[in-house]
Amino acid sequence: MRIHWPRRVFAQVLLTQVAITTGVVMLVTGLFLAPLSHQLDDQAMRQALSIAQTTAAEPGLVHQLTSTEPSPNGPVQAEAEQIRQATDALYIVVMDTRGVRWSHTDTRQIGKHVSTDPSTALAGREIMQIDNGTLGRSARAKVPLRDSRGTIVGAVSVGMAYDSVRERLLGTIPGLLLYAGAALAAGVLAALALSRRLQRSTHGLAFADISALLDEREAMLHSIREAVLALDARGRIRLLNDEAQRLLELTQDAVGRSLGEVLPPGRAAEVLAGQVDGADLLTVCRGRVLIANRMPTGDGGAVVTLRDRTELELLGRELDSTHGLLDALRAQDHEHANRLHTLLGLLELGRHNAAMEFVVEVAHGQRASAEQVAERVNDPLLSALLVGKSAIAAERGATLCISPGTLLPDVVVDPRDLVTVLGNLIDNALDVASVIEVELFAEGTTAVLRVSDNGPGVAPDLREQIFTEGWSTKESPAHRGRGLGLALVRRLAERYGGVARVSAKAGGGAVFTVVLPETLAVRKLTEVGEFQ
């Protein structure tokens, strides 16, 4: 049968851990048994050496060896057998300097030459070894036998049965295997617990499925047109897709860093960090109007999605302006009808000269107003904005006038930003005032926009707060939120390296001033003195 490797992650991890645990236990058991065997051999040889030394130290043994003949019933044999039985040795052999046995467990070997070389012991050195003899394999030791003058008169050889050493070694194996089995069982249980936890974490998926999911996730995150930002429990960025990099003006280096390191302080950073609760939170970041939603994750982090509403916000403001223009056109239609009725009445009364003067006066007034704005403000978008806002102001019963100091003849690099700034300031002024004055002028390549009104003004303690997102005293229209206009003005000013501030107007009211550096391209004079 062919064994199939499991596909699921937890099963593969379980089998791998069990195999590793089994291998480690077997290796440790082998590494323990190897030195144990050597230790038991050394212990047996040292025991034999100790018995040999004790036997050689017997005071009467030298006299018996030198004064008698080797015999199974001799005193040397009797002394050796007594010591052997007391120490449970395999044999105790006493030999003379010729290597002839004077004692042995097998009495038939007495009087014969020893089977192993005794020269080392007869030379005065002690020796321990594992060797084979007439009684089989044994752990043996040999020591010299000296008389009272230190002269070597023989040697003593003691052997311990090697079977007993092997039995001791084998006797330790069951206990060792028991401990090894317990360690293996503990390892298997730990591997099982870990694999079950891994199964819950991976939802029982296979490695191929996880790899495919990761590939699909990367493709999806970098293809969708919604910004996705993932944060860990410490507020550090751990995932950033392409749209998030574009909207927040970040690079891939931001991954692993905290929000405070990569974003300027303000509402945007607070919304992303979860310090502001709610759904579809509006914020302005680096001049863009964003809608943020934050969803916590199980590990304490969060996933934040961002949608760009900059264009939608601009369209909403244009819609407001369009509604205002429609109202203004409707009012002008009524006014035009009234003028036509007046003109018709003058003609029916035969006052032709008065009718002609009335027509000239009305036409000249409208032409002069538009021409005045066009002469002072070169950019057509800004000029059209001012003309349109004048009509809206007139419809609301307010007056929008252009300051005598207004002069902006230079080419505007990006007029849409100036239209956004100026339109927001005029709209805010129209909501609270009846007289609004607009002033635009250039300082080199810097454009300065100033809008003043005769409204209630702004309290000193609110002059910074009104530029924050979400702050407003007005009810929001149905199609967009409030509290973004002035915040967007300040963000645009800061993007150009300028400022947006508000101050009090003499006699009552507020003065909003916005400085936008590097927004103008100064036009040069040609040789004939005309502007290019």
Side-chain angles (χ1 to χ4, degrees), residues 185-209:
V188 171
L189 290 177
L192 182 61
L194 181 61
S195 65
R196 287 188 177 276
R197 181 177 180 181
L198 188 61
Q199 180 184 14
R200 291 192 298 268
S201 301
T202 59
H203 302 285
L205 295 175
F207 277 115
D209 298 332

Side-chain angles (χ1 to χ4, degrees), residues 306-531:
L306 299 170
R307 286 174 286 165
D308 189 1
R309 271 196 53 172
T310 305
E311 298 298 330
L312 183 60
E313 183 67 21
L314 294 177
L315 288 175
R317 296 189 179 278
E318 290 181 4
L319 179 61
D320 290 343
S321 300
T322 303
H323 287 164
L325 286 174
L326 289 175
D327 293 339
L329 290 174
R330 190 177 299 109
Q332 287 182 355
D333 180 60
H334 289 293
E335 185 179 358
H336 182 64
N338 293 332
R339 289 172 179 173
L340 287 178
H341 292 157
T342 301
L343 179 60
L344 179 61
L346 291 173
L347 292 176
E348 289 179 351
L349 293 174
R351 303 182 63 177
H352 300 91
N353 292 333
M356 292 177 60
E357 292 176 358
F358 179 75
V359 171
V360 171
E361 180 182 354
V362 171
H364 178 73
Q366 293 180 344
R367 184 172 59 251
S369 177
E371 289 178 354
Q372 181 184 18
V373 174
E375 287 175 357
R376 295 185 180 184
V377 180
N378 176 70
D379 187 83
L381 289 180
L382 290 174
S383 301
L385 175 69
L386 292 173
V387 172
K389 294 297 183 183
S390 297
I392 294 173
E395 167 63 15
R396 295 185 181 181
T399 301
L400 176 64
C401 58
I402 308 300
S403 171
T406 295
L407 183 60
L408 199 66
D410 301 319
V411 176
V412 180
V413 175
D414 192 348
R416 292 175 299 177
D417 289 342
L418 270 71
V419 167
T420 299
V421 171
L422 189 58
N424 277 298
L425 296 179
I426 295 176
D427 288 341
N428 287 337
L430 285 174
D431 288 335
V432 297
S434 59
V435 178
I436 301 99
E437 184 179 55
V438 177
E439 183 178 11
L440 295 85
F441 59 92
E443 293 180 351
T445 58
T446 299
V448 180
L449 286 68
R450 184 173 292 130
V451 177
S452 58
D453 60 66
N454 64 343
V458 180
D461 57 336
L462 297 179
R463 290 178 183 174
E464 285 298 321
Q465 187 177 354
I466 62 174
F467 289 102
T468 59
E469 297 101 312
W471 192 93
S472 178
T473 59
K474 296 173 286 187
E475 184 179 353
S476 300
H479 60 275
R480 62 183 178 88
R482 284 288 190 182
L484 291 176
L486 292 178
L488 188 57
V489 168
R490 171 160 283 186
R491 292 294 185 273
L492 286 174
E494 291 175 349
R495 174 186 289 181
Y496 284 99
V499 295
R501 60 180 180 268
V502 60
S503 58
K505 180 183 177 183
V511 178
F512 286 85
T513 303
V514 180
V515 179
L516 300 172
E518 305 298 330
T519 55
L520 302 177
V522 180
R523 300 193 299 179
K524 299 180 180 180
L525 290 174
T526 62
E527 295 180 357
V528 296
E530 294 180 348
F531 287 113

